[in-house]
Every structure is written in C-alpha cells, then in structure tokens.
Amino acid sequence: MVPHRERPDDPRNRREPAYHPAMLLALDIGNTNITVGLFRAGALLATRRAATNGRATTDELDLLLDGLLRLDGIAMADLDAIAAASVVPALTGAIEAIAERRDRPL
C-alpha cells in the first residue's frame, strides 16, 4: 500500500470548520409551531417557540422573530445568517423576503 501524502491545497485536508462561526438564526416552520434556534460559533444559545400563523404577512413575521430574539437580548442586526426549514409555503416566501430585506444570507 502506498502511503497517502497530504496536500495542503486539497480541500479534504482542511482543518477549519465547514461553516463560519457566526450568529445563525435557525428556523423550523411547521404547521403548528415556528421553532427558533439561535447559534453562535456552532453552540446553541437559545430556543423559542411561537404558534404558526400561515396567513401572517412578511411584516408580521418579521415583528414576531424580532420579538422572540429580543427576549434573549439579541437584535436582528446581530445575525449573520438565517437557515430555514419550512412546510408552510407562504411563510417560506416571507422568510426569503425578510432575509433579503435585512441583507442576510438564507
């Protein structure tokens, strides 16, 4: 067997994390609840839950998320990115609009 030599330029030999250790808002948008997780450098800082309103406007959802974050002393401006999983198409579009409005990657 020939020993494998590590090549520094090979991406498989990277020693840095696969994500940027920033502030991430993770959303799980279900038919009953919206579950929010707040991560910093990969560590879970807080979780919150609110009832899903499938007819909520983008502004209403933005206010809801802002209020949930403020319960833990965090503002939307503190976020570096948003990750979302959704089974509610109307709210998926609203989250996309919020991310674009706030200039945050989704």
Side-chain angles (χ1 to χ4, degrees):
M1 185 183 250
V2 177
H4 174 70
R5 276 190 359 203
E6 281 194 25
R7 292 179 36 204
D9 60 331
D10 188 339
R12 293 172 294 179
N13 295 327
R14 228 186 292 175
R15 300 289 184 238
E16 61 193 47
Y19 63 92
H20 186 272
M23 186 79 76
L24 173 70
L25 177 66
L27 303 171
D28 179 6
I29 303 170
N31 289 313
T32 306
N33 290 302
I34 298 174
T35 305
V36 176
L38 184 62
F39 292 85
R40 175 143 198 118
L44 181 63
L45 298 179
T47 59
R48 296 290 177 174
R49 186 178 300 259
T52 300
N53 176 1
R55 302 181 85 179
T57 66
T58 299
D59 291 336
E60 290 170 327
L61 186 56
D62 200 356
L63 284 170
L64 172 68
L65 294 175
D66 186 58
L68 291 174
L69 289 171
R70 288 186 184 281
L71 290 172
D72 294 301
I74 303 295
M76 290 289 275
D78 297 329
L79 301 175
D80 295 301
I82 301 170
S86 174
V87 296
V88 184
L91 296 185
T92 304
I95 290 297
E96 290 170 346
I98 291 167
E100 185 174 331
R101 176 191 300 172
R102 302 282 188 153
D103 195 29
R104 299 293 179 263
L106 178 64

